[in-house]
Amino acid sequence: MHTALCDLLGIEHPIVGFSPSERVVAAISRAGGFGVLGCVRFNDADELDAVLSWLDSETDGRPYGVDVVMPTHGPAEGKHVDLDKLIPDGHRDFVQRTLLKLGVPPLPDGESTGDGVLGWLHSVARSHVEVALSHPVRLIANALGPPPPDVIDAAHERGLLVAALAGRATHARSHVASGVDIVVAQGYEAGGHTGEAPRRRVEPEVAARGGEGDPAPAPGGIGSGRQIAAALALGATGVWMGSCWLGTEEYQAQPALRQALLDATSADTVRSRVYSGKPARLLRNRWTEAWSEPEAPAPLPMPLQNLLVSEAHSRLMRAGDPTVVPMPVGQIVGRMNEVRPVAQVMSTLVTEATDTLKRLSAL
Ligand SMILES: Cc1cc2nc3c(=O)[nH]c(=O)nc-3n(C[C@H](O)[C@H](O)[C@H](O)COP(=O)(O)O)c2cc1C
């Protein structure tokens, strides 16, 4: 199972694995795939620098990439406090009332509420790019369309590839025109920010628009080797998987999150603006449902919604209650019923995809 994507990224299997966990990313790259580290959780560029140094030594010389969240539009950024003032009191009251109603305790004494998830801010995402450029990363991906032209140029000057996620197949051509090397057109089924079209529809369209030979890894709803074979049949040159790795040993999920992931069926996700202000697929639970109640306010635009709910997210995550954990995850969560090491997941995916392709070619 060797495709153009393998040559482009210098990998053995055409499987890109996104994860916010450096342990997962290192294990994916070591297993012959391509690990991509989500940087949005890093408020501090020095912390990201230390994690990338760790990855440099733990990937055994195999390539890996980073993913930043760089919105092209949003409120003008001054100091963090300026953005804070744009959050209506009614929204703050609703969050506090909901946490009380759900029985979510406050953070322990002395525990910082943090400054919000600053990685969603353009200026912080830029600091992530700067740090990444000082490490031997092979690819910079942007979650929200093409990064600004100077970032694309800086990456290309250093020989890095640039990837951009797209919510619609129609964005693929403009991404390519902006200099993006790899368009990742996110299917509706995927965890995190998603478009409105299912992967089976987006994939052939992107493959056609990208032009012959352009690598288009398919994200969204992939959790088995048979689905990888199907994605290749539909025109993708590989797959881009995110949710699947949440169920691995290396992810080290807290017990409540692990339980929630193991319990969830494919019907237990929801596409909602509650997490970040943009539509994203999440675990559907008592927290997300509270935002659908008649008295709930509409979620704020990005990045205000992130700032509004960031302390709530810390509290919900620490509450130890599987029915409230705030978590992006795709519909393949329904297949997550055991915790396995990344290497084992990868080997099962590759064996199953290869067997499926052999079976089909014998038809
Ligand atoms: C927990 C989680 C966090 C994610 N965060 C980001 C992110 O910060 N940036 C990004 O480009 N994609 C993010 N994604 C989307 C993944 O990159 C990927 O496109 C998606 O998971 C693929 O679909 P799947 O979840 O069905 O495998 C996230 C996905 C998950 C599950």
Side-chain angles (χ1 to χ4, degrees):
M1 192 173 52
H2 190 90
T3 71
L5 191 72
C6 298
D7 294 332
L8 190 76
L9 294 174
I11 51 177
E12 205 177 326
H13 313 302
I15 298 175
V16 180
F18 169 95
S19 178
S21 153
E22 63 271 22
R23 287 187 195 85
V24 173
V25 169
I28 292 170
S29 287
R30 281 199 307 266
F34 188 84
V36 175
L37 179 72
C39 295
V40 76
R41 73 181 167 91
F42 295 96
N43 286 347
D44 179 355
D46 289 341
E47 197 195 337
L48 174 62
D49 195 30
V51 165
L52 294 188
S53 298
W54 182 87
L55 272 175
D56 296 341
S57 63
E58 295 296 320
T59 40
D60 296 348
R62 307 283 185 112
Y64 73 93
V66 295
D67 175 282
V68 297
V69 179
M70 207 173 240
T72 21
H73 306 291
E77 271 179 36
K79 291 183 184 148
H80 176 211
V81 62
D82 294 335
L83 288 176
D84 253 359
K85 281 190 185 146
L86 298 176
I87 298 176
D89 288 343
H91 279 72
R92 293 187 197 279
D93 293 346
F94 172 76
V95 168
Q96 292 310 321
R97 272 202 318 276
T98 304
L99 292 173
L100 199 63
K101 202 158 89 183
L102 299 178
V104 176
L107 290 175
D109 268 353
E111 188 118 348
S112 154
T113 56
D115 277 332
V117 183
L118 301 181
W120 299 99
L121 302 180
H122 188 93
S123 51
V124 179
R126 270 196 176 268
S127 74
H128 293 160
V129 170
E130 264 171 45
V131 168
L133 291 177
S134 68
H135 287 266
V137 302
R138 179 81 187 102
L139 168 125
I140 294 188
N142 186 25
L144 302 172
D150 65 296
V151 171
I152 297 182
D153 290 347
H156 284 164
E157 272 163 27
R158 288 165 179 79
L160 271 69
L161 294 161
V162 177
L165 270 73
R168 287 189 206 157
T170 47
H171 291 161
R173 186 169 280 164
S174 68
H175 282 17
V176 171
S178 310
V180 166
D181 305 294
I182 298 180
V183 177
V184 184
Q186 184 91 312
Y188 176 83
E189 313 87 335
H193 295 124
T194 58
E196 285 166 0
R199 183 174 50 79
R200 270 172 308 181
R201 208 188 85 209
V202 176
E203 219 165 62
E205 287 179 23
V206 169
R209 274 162 210 273
E212 204 177 321
D214 272 331
I222 293 183
S224 73
R226 286 182 182 200
Q227 288 169 313
I228 295 176
L232 298 180
L234 286 168
T237 56
V239 291
W240 180 291
M241 300 167 64
S243 296
C244 159
W245 316 108
L246 298 175
T248 59
E249 278 176 20
E250 287 86 345
Y251 185 68
Q252 299 188 326
Q254 290 172 8
L257 170 59
R258 183 149 283 172
Q259 197 54 52
L261 293 170
L262 292 174
D263 289 348
T265 69
S266 58
D268 294 323
T269 70
V270 62
R271 187 169 171 269
S272 159
R273 294 203 301 115
V274 172
Y275 195 81
S276 71
K278 285 187 184 286
R281 186 166 297 285
L282 314 168
L283 262 182
R284 185 167 57 77
N285 57 26
R286 294 196 299 139
W287 166 248
T288 56
E289 293 292 273
W291 286 83
S292 317
E293 297 291 327
E295 81 278 8
L300 298 170
M302 183 183 269
L304 301 180
Q305 182 71 11
N306 309 115
L307 295 174
L308 170 70
V309 296
S310 72
E311 189 205 332
H313 279 177
S314 306
R315 287 175 57 181
L316 290 158
M317 208 39 125
R318 271 151 220 246
D321 176 356
T323 69
V324 297
V325 284
M327 197 63 197
V329 74
Q331 293 175 341
I332 66 120
V333 69
R335 298 178 64 104
M336 237 179 255
N337 39 31
E338 60 175 328
V339 178
R340 295 188 297 156
V342 165
Q344 209 183 87
V345 172
M346 187 69 92
S347 134
T348 309
L349 288 171
V350 171
T351 307
E352 195 181 296
T354 311
D355 289 351
T356 306
L357 291 168
K358 271 192 206 142
R359 186 168 52 80
L360 294 179
S361 67
L363 290 178

